[in-house]
Amino acid sequence: MNYPAFPLAQGLYDPQNEHDACGVGFVANIKGKRSHAIVDQGLQILKNLTHRGAVGFDPKLGDGAGILIQIPDPFFREELAKQGVVLPPAGQYGVGMVFLPQEPASRFACEYEIERAIKDEGQVLLGWRDVPVDNADLAETARKLEPVIRQVFIGRGAGVTVTDALERKLYIIRKSSGHAIQALRLEHGKEFYVPSMSARTIVYKGMLLAQQVGPYYKDLQDPRVVSALALVHQRFSTNTFPTWELAHPFRMIAHNGEINTLRGNVNWLRARQGAISSPIIGKDLDKIWPLIYPGQSDSASFDNALELLMMAGYSVPHAIMMMIPEAWEAHSRAAARSTSTTRR
């Protein structure tokens, strides 16, 4: 028998809406209750999205997959205590997930620049932690490109009183250290990447298949790792080749699709750089440029631009609408009509 490429239209399903694109999933406890079950459910969603990701010449070589969760404070508190490190209360420290070069000299240089940036920004280096992984099931190509993965713990400085302010300092630390590392022109400097550095969330991702994320990152198997939300992504690479750093989720988003105006968006942002200011970020704004490095994917570029708006004080809905011109124009027109009606 001959079967159609897609099922026939039925109910809410229409085969015309089928596209090759990434798979995205999200699960959350609407009351904000943290549990390991949410993490497990996120990983199960990820496994269910296997068909949405691409596979290379090796059936174990995927375009990338990952999960974003809330920082599991009880877990990290116990793990750091083994090193004699006492973490501050939740919200008063941040965790950076860091991809580092395998080559020792380049790795030490990258760690040094992160520690320098922490000190320069008046924050406190609490310690480092090696992230336990199991790469036995990875494709040979993925293992060759596999970074050394470590977590850096950063306490708030004396001048930082709220978590939002700490988030902005972590943002500047990440950008400042990244620019310094690029300026060093290390032989293996391109292998440095920070998937996340936040006091609220953490990203576990890599050049992995959907079903490899949980087994690869041993932390995700620990019942002490709890979260009230999980954002997962299985990548179908279209405009860039697969790499460890371009797997999703990014720090703010997990994206399904392709932005066809990417080059224009990046150029417009670069053209406006000199006119951008922020009373919240202040002089630290000078430390973030360039905002987008050449070679980043459309999703990574979008994530960087969105992150800047949120660090400048915009709410998530407001920042998202600004990133989507049609939505922002519709909102502006509606606001203008509302104001006009009120005045009449």
Side-chain angles (χ1 to χ4, degrees), residues 316-337:
V316 173
H318 193 166
I320 288 289
M321 291 185 73
M322 291 174 69
M323 293 292 295
I324 305 173
E326 291 83 357
W328 180 245
E329 289 170 8
H331 170 75
S332 298
R333 287 195 296 271
R337 287 195 298 270

Side-chain angles (χ1 to χ4, degrees), residues 24 61-62 68 83 97 105 109 119-120 122 137 142 209 247-248 264 290 294 325 330 335 338:
V24 183
L61 183 61
L68 178 150
Q83 302 181 29
M97 179 74 87
K119 182 179 179 181
D120 287 353
D137 194 45
L209 296 170
H248 298 222
S338 176

Side-chain angles (χ1 to χ4, degrees), residues 2-260:
N2 293 322
Y3 291 93
F6 298 109
L8 299 174
Q10 51 188 300
L12 297 176
Y13 175 79
D14 187 337
Q16 296 184 62
N17 294 326
E18 288 285 357
H19 299 282
D20 287 330
C22 310
V24 183
F26 181 75
V27 60
N29 183 295
I30 60 174
K31 295 185 178 180
K33 184 178 179 180
R34 303 187 186 210
S35 68
H36 186 67
I38 291 290
V39 178
D40 279 342
Q41 289 169 16
L43 293 173
Q44 183 60 51
I45 291 172
L46 193 53
K47 292 177 185 177
N48 295 345
L49 291 171
T50 297
H51 65 291
R52 302 304 301 174
V55 178
F57 62 92
D58 185 325
K60 290 187 176 182
L61 183 61
D63 277 4
I67 183 171
L68 178 150
I69 60 174
Q70 292 173 305
I71 288 178
D73 177 69
F75 171 71
F76 284 142
R77 194 165 295 281
E78 291 183 18
E79 289 299 304
L80 269 292
K82 297 175 183 177
Q83 302 181 29
V85 177
V86 178
L87 291 178
Q92 295 185 24
Y93 71 93
V95 184
M97 179 74 87
V98 187
F99 288 173
L100 294 160
Q102 295 182 18
E103 194 271 319
S106 296
R107 182 166 70 249
F108 296 151
C110 292
E111 292 174 352
Y112 173 83
E113 289 299 335
I114 290 176
E115 294 179 5
R116 176 204 54 78
I118 293 170
K119 182 179 179 181
D120 287 353
E121 294 303 320
Q123 307 310 298
V124 182
L125 173 65
L126 299 173
W128 289 86
R129 173 178 179 259
D130 296 324
V131 178
V133 299
D134 181 359
N135 64 6
D137 194 45
L138 266 58
E140 182 181 352
T141 301
R143 279 201 299 269
K144 284 182 178 179
L145 300 173
E146 183 183 16
V148 172
I149 306 175
R150 304 191 75 197
Q151 291 162 340
V152 59
F153 291 78
I154 305 166
R156 66 178 178 89
V160 174
T161 57
V162 295
T163 305
D164 282 348
L166 177 58
E167 284 287 305
R168 285 190 290 274
K169 279 298 180 185
L170 295 172
Y171 175 59
I172 299 301
I173 289 167
R174 194 190 85 233
K175 299 295 286 187
S176 175
S177 59
H179 295 334
I181 289 165
Q182 293 301 316
L184 290 174
R185 299 188 181 278
L186 300 169
E187 182 180 355
H188 299 275
K190 296 296 183 182
E191 299 170 26
F192 168 81
Y193 180 76
V194 181
S196 63
M197 186 175 284
S198 171
R200 295 189 171 103
T201 58
I202 188 166
V203 174
Y204 288 85
K205 69 175 187 178
M207 198 169 168
L208 308 165
L209 296 170
Q211 68 269 22
Q212 291 175 335
V213 175
Y216 179 77
Y217 284 110
K218 295 182 179 181
D219 287 359
L220 299 175
Q221 305 166 36
D222 196 303
R224 296 172 297 168
V225 173
V226 296
S227 177
L229 61 87
L231 174 66
V232 298
H233 187 279
Q234 165 71 17
R235 190 171 186 233
F236 191 107
S237 178
T238 54
N239 61 2
T240 56
F241 288 110
T243 64
W244 278 80
E245 67 271 15
L246 290 182
H248 298 222
F250 288 106
R251 303 166 193 110
M252 298 287 165
I253 67 160
H255 177 228
N256 178 345
E258 186 169 325
I259 301 172
N260 296 322

